[in-house]
Amino acid sequence: MNTSTSRTGLTVSADVLAGAAATAARFAPSILNTQPWRWRVHPDQLELFAEPRRHLRVTDPDGRLLILSCGTVLHHACLTLAAQGWAAQVIRTPSMSATAPLAVLHGFEPATVAPVTRQQEQAMRTRHTDRRPVSDQPIAPPVLRAITACAPGAVRLQILTAEQVLELAAAVSRADAMRGQDPLARGELNYWTSRPVTEGIGLPPQVLPDRPAQTTVAGRGFGHAGTLPTGPGHDRSATYALLYGHSDDPTGWLQAGETLSAIWLAATAMNVSVLPLSDVVAVPGTREALRRMLKPFDHPYLALRLGIADPMPGAPPRTPRLPAAHLVEALPPNVSCREERR
């Protein structure tokens, strides 16, 4: 068994690193469940790469949603290691290159497992995306403050006012209309939302609403109905927010994904449903409309709907996942990082 020795003399095995990568890939959310990442496991470090073969080149030409998705799996991996008593140093070098890692986890040191870490790790295993309207129960202010507090750094969360929610609704509708007029975008969306469960990727009909809900802010238009019963809700008690930061580049997008993961897991632990609204940010014109809701020099990364999930008729099924063998590569101990990249 290959190991990495810490300054304390304790070691983390390559099997633990591979297990953390596989666990993260199994549970992390991604745009249309494309799972656009891959991990490379060395005896002493863990490398995260973007996977261009699962890049939505029409919907997400800049790769902002791809890298944001990779940010979620990076946070999930760090959390998985932390839940096993290991703290990792993270070097972030995000780019769209298929040969250079987005991030490298190394310098593993034993660490005490905090109760909040165990809570988040459990939330990681139960978190799911529910595209149906939320219940009429509003989020309690202390809960909303706790969720917002999960984004205290370079990436932050702004709760929208009632007037801004109407502006968001208009922008979402415009983005959906623009996507609907683009045959290439429609084709790409149909490809990723017509996948059988057995393929382990994309969105099967079972997780898509059977009809559009009558809500102020429309959900994503998939171009076809799913089989998930929508229910009678109208999202009247939903809270909407913008995830934002100062930089509109791969570094900011990766950090946004990490922060989204932290927010989503905290919300899940407090029984709050989170639904990302990505098209409105991927379309340049509507992204600019969201930017006007923020302070000068800030950039929106994602719009979010927060709410208490409707308990009836129960949670939707989880999205399928690719086998770990498709996402995690373990290198033999005699292959160095430098030699492997030649």
Side-chain angles (χ1 to χ4, degrees), residues 68-156:
L68 190 150
S69 297
C70 289
T72 68
V73 83
L74 173 60
H75 181 265
H76 272 48
C78 291
L79 175 62
T80 301
L81 288 168
Q84 296 181 56
W86 293 100
Q89 298 179 38
V90 183
I91 300 173
R92 298 169 179 83
T93 54
S95 73
M96 288 300 294
S97 171
T99 58
L102 293 172
V104 178
L105 280 66
H106 71 112
F108 304 97
E109 294 287 341
T112 301
V113 182
V116 68
T117 300
R118 297 192 186 280
Q119 185 182 52
Q120 290 176 340
E121 198 263 349
Q122 180 58 38
M124 181 183 75
R125 297 172 181 274
T126 59
R127 183 214 61 81
H128 61 277
T129 303
D130 193 341
R131 296 171 178 83
R132 301 170 300 177
V134 296
S135 73
D136 289 335
Q137 178 185 351
I139 302 174
V143 171
L144 192 57
R145 287 194 294 270
I147 293 172
T148 304
C150 294
V155 178
R156 303 180 71 85

Side-chain angles (χ1 to χ4, degrees), residues 48 65 82 131 155 191 197 243 251 255 275 295 326:
L48 172 64
L65 297 176
R131 296 171 178 83
V155 178
Y191 176 83
V197 172
L243 193 67
T251 297
Q255 290 177 322
L275 177 65
K295 295 179 181 179
H326 287 81

Side-chain angles (χ1 to χ4, degrees), residues 11 24 37 47 63 94 96 120 170 200 230 244 253 262 265 273 279 286-287 294 305 324:
T11 57
W37 49 63
E47 296 177 320
M96 288 300 294
Q120 290 176 340
T230 301
Y244 72 94
W253 305 337
L265 296 180
S273 170
D279 267 358
T286 53
R287 181 170 67 249
L294 302 170
R305 183 202 69 182

Side-chain angles (χ1 to χ4, degrees), residues 12-213:
V12 59
S13 71
D15 289 344
V16 168
L17 299 182
T23 300
R26 179 183 177 191
F27 293 110
S30 60
I31 176 68
L32 296 184
N33 193 32
T34 50
Q35 302 163 61
W37 49 63
R38 57 188 176 89
W39 291 97
R40 188 166 290 158
V41 184
H42 297 269
D44 58 350
Q45 66 183 35
L46 188 58
E47 296 177 320
L48 172 64
F49 294 82
E51 178 46 77
R53 290 175 296 180
R54 294 191 288 277
H55 176 198
L56 301 172
R57 299 188 181 276
V58 179
T59 304
D60 180 33
D62 297 331
R64 64 180 63 237
L65 297 176
L66 179 150
I67 293 180
L68 190 150
S69 297
C70 289
T72 68
V73 83
L74 173 60
H75 181 265
H76 272 48
C78 291
L79 175 62
T80 301
L81 288 168
Q84 296 181 56
W86 293 100
Q89 298 179 38
V90 183
I91 300 173
R92 298 169 179 83
T93 54
S95 73
M96 288 300 294
S97 171
T99 58
L102 293 172
V104 178
L105 280 66
H106 71 112
F108 304 97
E109 294 287 341
T112 301
V113 182
V116 68
T117 300
R118 297 192 186 280
Q119 185 182 52
Q120 290 176 340
E121 198 263 349
Q122 180 58 38
M124 181 183 75
R125 297 172 181 274
T126 59
R127 183 214 61 81
H128 61 277
T129 303
D130 193 341
R131 296 171 178 83
R132 301 170 300 177
V134 296
S135 73
D136 289 335
Q137 178 185 351
I139 302 174
V143 171
L144 192 57
R145 287 194 294 270
I147 293 172
T148 304
C150 294
V155 178
R156 303 180 71 85
L157 191 67
Q158 175 172 307
I159 304 301
L160 299 186
T161 66
E163 181 178 351
Q164 289 173 329
V165 170
L166 295 179
E167 295 176 17
L168 171 65
V172 167
S173 295
R174 287 200 303 274
D176 188 61
M178 294 175 69
R179 291 290 194 220
Q181 294 168 5
D182 183 343
L184 294 178
R186 292 200 309 269
E188 186 173 67
L189 180 64
N190 184 67
Y191 176 83
W192 286 99
T193 60
S194 302
R195 321 304 298 167
V197 172
T198 53
E199 290 193 4
I201 199 165
L203 301 178
Q206 292 91 328
V207 302
L208 302 181
D210 59 0
R211 59 181 174 81

